[in-house]
Amino acid sequence: MSRVIAIHSEITGAVAQVSVQVGSQVAVDDVLVMIEAMKMEIPVASPVLGKVSKINVKEGDTVSEGEILIVLEVD
């Protein structure tokens, strides 16, 4: 039975890059999203092995700390 894990933004900033698509298989430490804040790029990596089931942001979006960026399905 699968469970879902929400990946949250740890900082307020702009989405510089979305590195995955719905259906993508991801491994631990794969970069899912790159957030730009204070002229730095902060990678948001997967904490688990899973499959991308939902992407809530697109490049250029502004995100707040704690906002759900991506939802993963984990077996």
Side-chain angles (χ1 to χ4, degrees):
M1 185 164 148
S2 295
R3 61 187 172 108
V4 295
I5 294 181
I7 308 300
H8 300 266
S9 176
E10 296 179 8
I11 192 164
T12 297
V15 176
Q17 180 179 5
V18 178
S19 304
V20 294
Q21 299 175 352
V22 171
S24 296
Q25 293 289 334
V26 296
V28 175
D29 293 333
D30 281 358
V31 175
L32 307 173
V33 176
M34 192 71 72
I35 296 178
E36 190 174 290
M38 299 178 288
K39 298 186 180 183
M40 296 182 351
E41 288 190 340
I42 297 97
V44 178
S46 175
V48 295
L49 180 66
K51 182 171 85 173
V52 177
S53 63
K54 186 172 184 183
I55 300 173
N56 292 335
V57 294
K58 62 183 181 310
E59 292 177 13
D61 285 355
T62 299
V63 295
S64 300
E65 182 177 343
E67 187 172 332
I68 296 173
L69 306 173
I70 297 208
V71 177
L72 301 176
E73 286 182 20
V74 181
D75 289 329

